[in-house]
Amino acid sequence: MPATLLRSADLAHLSYSPEGDRFDGSWEAPLATLLGLGRAAGADFVEIFLERSHYLSTLVEEDRLTSVSPRLSLGAGIRVFRGTRDCYVSTNDLSFSGLRTALEKALGLMGLLLPSPQAYVPEIHLELLRDYAQGRKEGWRATCSSIAEVADILLAGSDRLRQRTPHLQSRRLSYFRDWQEVMVAASDGTFGRDIRLTQSAVASVLCTDGEHRAAIGERSGDTSNPDFLRQWDYITLADTVAEAAGKMLYADYVESGTYPVIMANQFGGVIFHEACGHLLETTQIERGTTPFADKKGEKIAHENLTAWDEGITSGAFGSLDMDDEGMPTQRTLLIENGILKNFLSDRAGSMRTGHPRTGSGRRQSYTYAAASRMRNTYIAPGKYTVEDLIASIDRGIYCKRMGGGSVGATGQFNFAVEEAYWIDNGQIKHPLKGATLIGEAKEIMQRISMSANDLALAPGFCGSISGSIYVTVGQPHIKVDAITVGGR
């Protein structure tokens, strides 16, 4: 690559292929040149995202390994901004000419043309590469469990479910790992690289006895640990799933009504994630679909509620060293004692709404432009014990295990409860099934009156405008003073 300034006409004749099967400093010259070309064409800002990924999923049903699905991908996405408008083009051709073609298409969509042949391309000075992958991360992929080892562990877990689960109809265990190498370069000088490793294992059962049915599942997950599956305690997990299924098989159906509810920690936080967390992303402000758009500094929740979103908790599903726009991750205080403090913002969201970037620009892959997304999102622990919460309820419901659900654009939600129990006179009594929690975010947030001191996190997935990403949900045990419960 010539060290002197290039004319636009010279770029068509460049042939440049960085060496090796990894993203490293050799990418600086071609990426800086492409960024300069975009700026010379009239773009206010240009960003290039490179990605290489290796994905593997496996499935065991009953006593057989029924699926092994590997997937490899390599590609890039180029985003061009002009004012507050932007467009995004992706390609799997990472040659200089392939990236230049993608850039040209993105510029064209914004009504911009490549500069005249005699125009000089400005030099973009990228920062010294921030390489978060350097060191231990480089060896992650090679030290993960082999397919044979994965199969042995899943089959052992399936056998444990067979031994421990009453009236077992079917059992499934699955595992995936997602290894991803990314590089981000932008015309403001951003230049960063990272490697991510995300793994998860799930055990689920279906039990039947005549007209009685119960389905229970539980997920474990981790980032940044190639030994995750070797260290996975499938025995405890299988026993937990089996015990819950046995209790729910003959449980009474809940009666519809409005009740005070205790929601368990860990995955109980999915309701806050779905019903409130999404409404604090700047993408929702841009769309006009959040009731909290103009509420910063105002009370939107009970004074006992404080909530965070962050990307720094070790091993958590949503943790990462930098986001997909190259910004180092951080902690973001969302709500403090009921007062809305911050929104989650990516670059585009910051440009369009004025809220500062929070290291929350995330995407599923190079085929998506980054958007403001959650990372590890949870309600902070409070001053009460779980026993305090339960003792405060005369007649209500303890929701121990949450299932699936749906959320409307402005925060209306309904979520199934996989495992629940009746509370009578401050004591947990008989099991219940068939419960569905129904409500609206801006109302329910005001009714979370007590938080216990047992914060715990759980892995999950989140789908939105920039695809499906890995996130953590969480909370301590919380008390909701009143919520609509659907049942029989």
Side-chain angles (χ1 to χ4, degrees):
M1 181 71 70
T4 58
L5 287 176
L6 295 172
R7 293 178 306 151
S8 179
D10 298 328
L11 299 182
H13 306 291
L14 286 178
S15 177
Y16 187 86
S17 297
E19 298 179 358
D21 58 353
R22 61 194 292 269
F23 302 138
D24 57 23
S26 66
W27 281 88
E28 179 180 1
L31 295 181
T33 300
L34 290 164
L35 294 169
L37 180 60
R39 293 285 283 119
D44 293 325
F45 184 84
V46 183
E47 177 195 85
I48 302 174
F49 177 82
L50 308 179
E51 180 199 24
R52 175 183 287 108
S53 69
H54 294 248
Y55 182 90
L56 174 70
S57 66
T58 58
L59 174 64
V60 162
E61 297 175 287
E62 313 308 332
D63 298 310
R64 296 178 58 240
L65 179 66
T66 57
S67 175
V68 177
S69 302
R71 183 177 73 240
L72 309 178
S73 67
L74 177 67
I78 298 180
R79 194 171 193 177
V80 171
F81 285 84
R82 191 179 188 189
T84 59
R85 298 186 303 118
D86 70 284
C87 71
Y88 189 77
V89 173
S90 63
T91 179
N92 57 11
D93 183 353
L94 265 61
S95 68
F96 187 88
S97 61
L99 294 174
R100 182 181 183 276
T101 298
L103 173 63
E104 185 176 8
K105 290 181 178 179
L107 292 168
L109 290 170
M110 298 300 290
L112 299 174
L113 298 175
L114 292 176
S116 66
Q118 299 307 313
Y120 284 100
V121 177
E123 189 174 6
I124 299 296
H125 296 283
L126 297 180
E127 65 178 315
L128 184 67
L129 178 63
R130 286 181 288 111
D131 194 349
Y132 297 102
Q134 199 168 33
R136 64 187 182 89
K137 292 185 180 182
E138 300 286 4
W140 278 353
R141 183 155 56 95
T143 54
C144 284
S145 299
S146 66
I147 293 177
E149 187 176 13
V150 171
D152 287 343
I153 293 171
L154 295 185
L155 287 168
S158 182
D159 187 60
R160 183 72 177 188
L161 286 174
R162 179 189 60 79
Q163 297 175 38
R164 305 290 291 184
T165 310
H167 299 286
L168 184 62
Q169 178 70 27
S170 64
R171 51 200 152 99
R172 291 162 56 101
L173 286 95
S174 62
Y175 162 81
F176 81 81
R177 69 165 172 260
D178 190 359
W179 179 96
Q180 180 193 47
E181 181 189 15
V182 301
M183 175 172 278
V184 182
S187 56
D188 65 352
T190 297
F191 192 34
R193 171 181 179 256
D194 198 12
I195 287 176
R196 292 91 174 255
L197 175 64
T198 307
Q199 299 179 85
S200 178
V202 180
S204 59
V205 297
L206 172 64
C207 300
T208 61
D209 184 14
E211 63 180 11
H212 301 286
R213 295 170 60 88
I216 298 290
E218 186 158 326
R219 177 181 299 279
S220 300
D222 182 88
T223 62
S224 305
N225 179 13
D227 292 319
F228 160 74
L229 196 63
R230 301 181 183 104
Q231 297 168 359
W232 180 45
D233 186 1
Y234 65 83
I235 293 177
T236 298
L237 185 139
D239 291 351
T240 300
V241 168
E243 180 183 8
K247 290 180 179 178
M248 290 299 104
L249 184 58
Y250 303 109
D252 296 331
Y253 281 94
V254 67
E255 293 185 9
S256 300
T258 300
Y259 301 94
V261 164
I262 303 298
M263 294 182 59
N265 58 4
Q266 294 186 312
F267 200 68
V270 68
I271 288 188
F272 180 82
H273 169 102
E274 294 287 2
C276 186
H278 277 296
L279 301 180
L280 301 182
E281 296 167 341
T282 50
T283 51
Q284 302 297 317
I285 299 178
E286 295 175 51
R287 294 175 174 181
T289 53
T290 172
F292 304 131
D294 59 350
K295 301 298 184 183
K296 188 173 180 178
E298 297 183 18
K299 185 175 181 293
I300 67 166
H302 195 281
E303 55 268 22
N304 287 326
L305 189 145
T306 294
W308 293 87
D309 180 274
E310 46 87 355
I312 61 176
T313 295
S314 178
F317 234 38
S319 291
L320 62 169
D321 285 318
M322 72 173 192
D323 73 359
D324 291 328
E325 296 179 323
M327 182 175 178
T329 194
Q330 58 180 243
R331 299 185 74 201
T332 304
L333 178 62
L334 300 177
I335 300 170
E336 184 177 33
N337 299 326
I339 305 299
L340 177 58
K341 292 294 187 178
N342 291 290
F343 289 89
L344 298 175
S345 184
D346 62 324
R347 185 185 299 278
S350 181
M351 287 181 177
R352 293 167 184 154
T353 69
H355 293 289
R357 291 172 66 194
T358 53
S360 306
R362 303 190 63 193
R363 65 186 99 199
Q364 177 179 331
S365 70
Y366 72 89
T367 60
Y368 294 86
S372 57
R373 304 292 297 276
M374 285 173 276
R375 297 159 297 186
N376 307 314
T377 311
Y378 49 84
I379 296 173
K383 61 183 179 181
Y384 300 98
T385 66
V386 177
E387 291 74 20
D388 291 335
L389 271 62
I390 295 171
S392 72
I393 293 180
D394 290 330
R395 292 171 55 83
I397 297 174
Y398 174 41
C399 301
K400 185 175 181 180
R401 187 187 303 268
M402 298 301 299
S406 62
V407 181
T410 57
Q412 306 90 348
F413 64 84
N414 64 84
F415 277 89
V417 183
E418 283 190 352
E419 183 181 1
Y421 298 86
W422 180 247
I423 300 174
D424 186 34
N425 195 26
Q427 295 185 350
I428 295 177
K429 297 294 186 179
H430 56 273
L432 297 171
K433 63 184 176 183
T436 300
L437 303 184
I438 303 167
E440 189 170 355
K442 62 183 180 182
E443 295 178 355
I444 296 302
M445 293 301 107
Q446 299 284 356
R447 300 176 185 171
I448 301 176
S449 61
M450 299 176 72
S451 298
N453 53 13
D454 63 339
L455 171 65
L457 309 179
F461 304 87
C462 178
S464 187
I465 188 172
S466 59
S468 178
I469 60 172
Y470 307 118
V471 297
T472 293
V473 299
Q475 64 183 30
H477 278 73
I478 62 170
K479 177 187 177 182
V480 182
D481 289 336
I483 191 170
T484 301
V485 178
R488 284 194 173 182

